[in-house]
């Protein structure tokens, strides 16, 4: 058992959002999990994703890591995404032999060997599981946050730049949870600044 390879799948969600943190999950699957459900989180409905996420968490060692809107502003979205991955891996109580990372970049300065996979969430089971857990966790976070800011529709758009979200931004302005360097937000702030001059 000591030589058994323990693999963690890692994926992040929320890179393209206009609001809210970027969230990653690291997942080590246990025996007994129903593999039929594990596919790219973007191809599963919200309700089913929450249900499958709970199943995954019951049959895995998992951890969630996030990087805040302020960290996205300070670091840039790529580095913030890698930071959230690193935090998820560091929080795992069972340490993996290797981490399979979705995409082409892996977190640095971490004591775990990492291997990247393009479209890994479509090809590798443990990455698909991480994708589902990360997406479900972030969606629920944004729904909760949306109760404090109901005009932006975060309960359904989860911070992505939908027409509803963009219209609300123009009407109600930018909140502390918006990513101020992202182009639509930056443009609104720039226009607002010019109008006050």
């Amino acid at each position: 058992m000591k030589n058994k390879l323990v693999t963690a799948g890692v994926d992040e969600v929320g890179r393209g959002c206009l609001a809210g943190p970027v969230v990653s999950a690291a997942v080590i699957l246990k025996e007994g999990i129903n593999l039929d459900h594990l596919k790219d989180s973007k191809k599963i409905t919200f309700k089913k994703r929450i249900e499958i996420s709970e199943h995954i968490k019951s049959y895995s060692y998992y951890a969630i890591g996030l990087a805040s809107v302020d960290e996205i502003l300070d670091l840039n979205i790529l580095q913030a995404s890698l930071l959230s991955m690193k935090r998820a891996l560091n929080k795992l109580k069972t340490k993996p032999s290797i981490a399979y990372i979705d995409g082409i970049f892996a977190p640095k300065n971490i004591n775990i060997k990492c291997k990247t996979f393009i479209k890994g969430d479509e090809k590798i089971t443990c990455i698909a599981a991480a994708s589902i857990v990360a997406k479900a966790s972030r969606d629920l976070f944004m729904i909760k946050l949306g109760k404090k800011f109901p005009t932006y529709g975060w309960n359904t758009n989860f911070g992505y730049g939908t027409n509803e979200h963009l219209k609300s931004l123009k009407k109600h302005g930018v909140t502390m949870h918006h990513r101020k360097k992202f182009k639509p937000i930056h443009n609104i702030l720039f226009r607002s600044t010019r109008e006050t001059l």
Side-chain angles (χ1 to χ4, degrees), residues 85-102:
M85 289 181 183
K86 182 178 179 178
R87 285 172 173 164
L89 282 166
N90 283 337
K91 283 169 67 177
L92 279 172
K93 291 181 180 176
T94 296
K95 292 303 172 188
S97 317
I98 189 168
Y100 287 174
I101 314 285
D102 184 52

Side-chain angles (χ1 to χ4, degrees), residues 3-29:
N3 295 324
K4 185 180 178 183
L5 188 70
V6 179
T7 305
V10 183
D11 200 4
E12 54 72 30
V13 294
R15 279 183 67 170
C17 293
L18 300 182
V22 60
V23 176
S24 291
V27 174
I28 299 170
L29 297 175

Side-chain angles (χ1 to χ4, degrees), residues 64-79:
I64 305 294
L66 62 80
S68 68
V69 169
D70 286 341
E71 288 172 322
I72 294 168
L73 183 64
D74 290 342
L75 299 172
N76 75 42
I77 187 59
L78 172 59
Q79 294 306 318

Side-chain angles (χ1 to χ4, degrees), residues 40-52:
D40 180 4
S41 66
K42 295 183 288 294
K43 298 177 180 177
I44 308 169
T45 63
F46 168 77
K47 187 176 179 182
K48 195 70 178 172
R49 192 162 51 237
I50 299 300
E51 183 184 313
I52 295 170

